[in-house]
Amino acid sequence: MGQFLNLTVLVTVLVLTTVGTAYSGSFNEEFDLTWGEHRGKIFSGGKMLSLSLDRVSGSGFKSKKEYLFGRIDMQLKLVAGNSAGTVTAYYLSSEGPTHDEIDFEFLGNETGKPYVLHTNVFAQGKGNREQQFYLWFDPTKNFHTYSLVWRPQHIIFMVDNVPIRVFNNAEQLGVPFPKKQPMRIYSSLWNADDWATRGGLVKTDWSKAPFTAYYRGFNAAACTVSSGSSFCDPKFRSTFADGESQVPNELNAYGRRRLRWVQKYFMIYDYCSDLKRFPQGFPPECRRSRV
């Protein structure tokens, strides 16, 4: 897919007793720059953040708060031009060898060729649940919103409010699901030219450095965990219907149509369809991977 497709988008209730507020706005208040020295910057009064990569180092940040379920939104404008070899990662993760993790990874490409959006879900330290997509727009020209909706019954990956992937809770099939470990938000920009672009065939062109990605518009309608206590934003509560049998807002009839549209036209890899990788049969959660 050498050109960006010019298509138009078909354009468990939580038992938490203490109610907090929505977290949005200042990167100074919500995040810490964690590595890369001067390569990570917060500016415009805390409304903007940038990460840069050069030959010496990349950079990254993480949230000050830990979350246990919620909707996390972030607007990103990715590295422009020849971004081959670079990876911009934006994800939720806990810590330790049995960590949980929910990933967006944006794999750079040569000028004029599309980014690959790589998604994955880890539960109790085990991942290998990849789906990959092209996007229906150029993610380097403008900011776009990338959202993770994490509930006890499923995880929804969204781009500009369009569902692209649903990972359902399949614990009844013996599949671990992230629901007990609070996670922080992380993001990083780093060099991965040993695998990121065409399996490592295309290397980073350091003459184009520094490479820079930009962030704004963070919002978390979520439940936070601190010192053993949970605080749940009422906006997140409102995205649940009155019981698990009800359809969540993101997956109403229109949302399911948009999900099918993305998966039909833009999905380029699905581990649940990889017969070479799973010759003895697909993982059990693949039975519930479609909406």
Side-chain angles (χ1 to χ4, degrees), residues 154-258:
H154 57 225
I155 296 162
I156 308 172
F157 296 76
M158 304 185 75
V159 177
D160 287 340
N161 218 35
V162 176
I164 66 167
R165 177 182 184 179
V166 177
F167 183 81
N168 289 303
N169 184 330
E171 288 179 299
Q172 73 276 20
L173 301 177
V175 180
F177 185 84
K179 69 175 190 179
K180 295 181 179 179
Q181 300 184 51
M183 295 194 271
R184 296 185 191 273
I185 303 164
Y186 294 84
S187 190
S188 58
L189 174 56
W190 50 291
N191 178 46
D193 66 2
D194 57 332
W195 66 271
T197 306
R198 293 176 55 200
L201 294 177
V202 183
K203 300 301 183 181
T204 303
D205 182 356
W206 293 111
S207 71
K208 302 296 192 295
F211 305 97
T212 304
Y214 297 91
Y215 301 74
R216 73 179 188 189
F218 165 71
N219 187 74
C223 302
T224 61
V225 176
S226 178
S227 302
S229 299
S230 299
F231 302 85
C232 191
D233 177 7
K235 290 183 180 179
F236 179 55
R237 282 176 177 271
S238 70
T239 66
F240 285 96
D242 294 330
E244 289 189 39
S245 62
Q246 301 299 310
V247 176
N249 297 343
E250 297 87 0
L251 295 179
N252 57 22
Y254 181 53
R256 292 195 302 274
R257 286 198 301 272
R258 292 187 294 176

Side-chain angles (χ1 to χ4, degrees), residues 241-276:
D242 294 330
E244 289 189 39
S245 62
Q246 301 299 310
V247 176
N249 297 343
E250 297 87 0
L251 295 179
N252 57 22
Y254 181 53
R256 292 195 302 274
R257 286 198 301 272
R258 292 187 294 176
L259 175 64
R260 289 192 293 268
W261 174 76
V262 171
Q263 295 189 339
K264 179 177 180 180
Y265 292 107
F266 299 99
M267 180 185 285
I268 58 173
Y269 178 79
D270 180 5
Y271 78 109
C272 284
S273 301
D274 193 338
L275 287 169
K276 183 181 293 187

Side-chain angles (χ1 to χ4, degrees), residues 5-287:
L5 293 182
N6 187 22
L7 298 177
T8 303
V9 181
L10 302 174
V11 195
T12 359
V13 174
L14 291 178
V15 183
L16 296 171
T17 58
T18 308
V19 176
T21 57
Y23 304 104
S24 62
S26 173
F27 283 99
N28 286 313
E29 295 177 0
E30 300 294 339
F31 295 93
D32 291 319
L33 298 170
T34 51
W35 64 284
E37 298 179 331
H38 60 280
R39 295 171 185 84
K41 298 178 181 178
I42 297 174
F43 54 101
S44 296
K47 294 181 180 179
M48 297 276 292
L49 185 150
S50 66
L51 294 180
S52 292
L53 164 70
D54 58 31
R55 188 183 288 272
V56 175
S57 178
S59 50
F61 65 86
K62 71 176 181 179
S63 64
K64 297 180 180 182
K65 297 184 178 75
E66 291 184 300
Y67 300 90
L68 185 62
F69 306 124
R71 173 168 174 157
I72 308 297
D73 302 308
M74 187 79 79
Q75 294 181 15
L76 280 78
K77 184 163 68 171
L78 299 179
V79 173
N82 186 355
S83 59
T86 71
V87 172
T88 305
Y90 157 56
Y91 58 103
L92 290 168
S93 184
S94 59
E95 298 180 354
T98 58
H99 76 292
D100 295 338
E101 188 173 322
I102 308 169
D103 291 344
F104 277 122
E105 289 187 319
F106 303 90
L107 312 185
N109 212 334
E110 298 166 283
T111 302
K113 296 183 179 180
Y115 266 81
V116 171
L117 173 52
H118 177 97
T119 66
N120 203 352
V121 176
F122 288 73
Q124 298 180 19
K126 182 180 182 297
N128 301 321
R129 301 181 176 99
E130 304 91 346
Q131 288 184 357
Q132 294 183 336
F133 305 84
Y134 288 133
L135 295 166
W136 50 96
F137 53 82
D138 183 344
T140 72
K141 297 296 185 184
N142 296 294
F143 284 92
H144 293 271
T145 303
Y146 303 91
S147 306
L148 294 170
V149 182
W150 175 29
R151 298 193 179 94
Q153 66 268 42
H154 57 225
I155 296 162
I156 308 172
F157 296 76
M158 304 185 75
V159 177
D160 287 340
N161 218 35
V162 176
I164 66 167
R165 177 182 184 179
V166 177
F167 183 81
N168 289 303
N169 184 330
E171 288 179 299
Q172 73 276 20
L173 301 177
V175 180
F177 185 84
K179 69 175 190 179
K180 295 181 179 179
Q181 300 184 51
M183 295 194 271
R184 296 185 191 273
I185 303 164
Y186 294 84
S187 190
S188 58
L189 174 56
W190 50 291
N191 178 46
D193 66 2
D194 57 332
W195 66 271
T197 306
R198 293 176 55 200
L201 294 177
V202 183
K203 300 301 183 181
T204 303
D205 182 356
W206 293 111
S207 71
K208 302 296 192 295
F211 305 97
T212 304
Y214 297 91
Y215 301 74
R216 73 179 188 189
F218 165 71
N219 187 74
C223 302
T224 61
V225 176
S226 178
S227 302
S229 299
S230 299
F231 302 85
C232 191
D233 177 7
K235 290 183 180 179
F236 179 55
R237 282 176 177 271
S238 70
T239 66
F240 285 96
D242 294 330
E244 289 189 39
S245 62
Q246 301 299 310
V247 176
N249 297 343
E250 297 87 0
L251 295 179
N252 57 22
Y254 181 53
R256 292 195 302 274
R257 286 198 301 272
R258 292 187 294 176
L259 175 64
R260 289 192 293 268
W261 174 76
V262 171
Q263 295 189 339
K264 179 177 180 180
Y265 292 107
F266 299 99
M267 180 185 285
I268 58 173
Y269 178 79
D270 180 5
Y271 78 109
C272 284
S273 301
D274 193 338
L275 287 169
K276 183 181 293 187
R277 186 173 169 186
F278 300 107
Q280 303 304 316
F282 295 121
E285 71 269 17
C286 293
R287 304 175 205 169

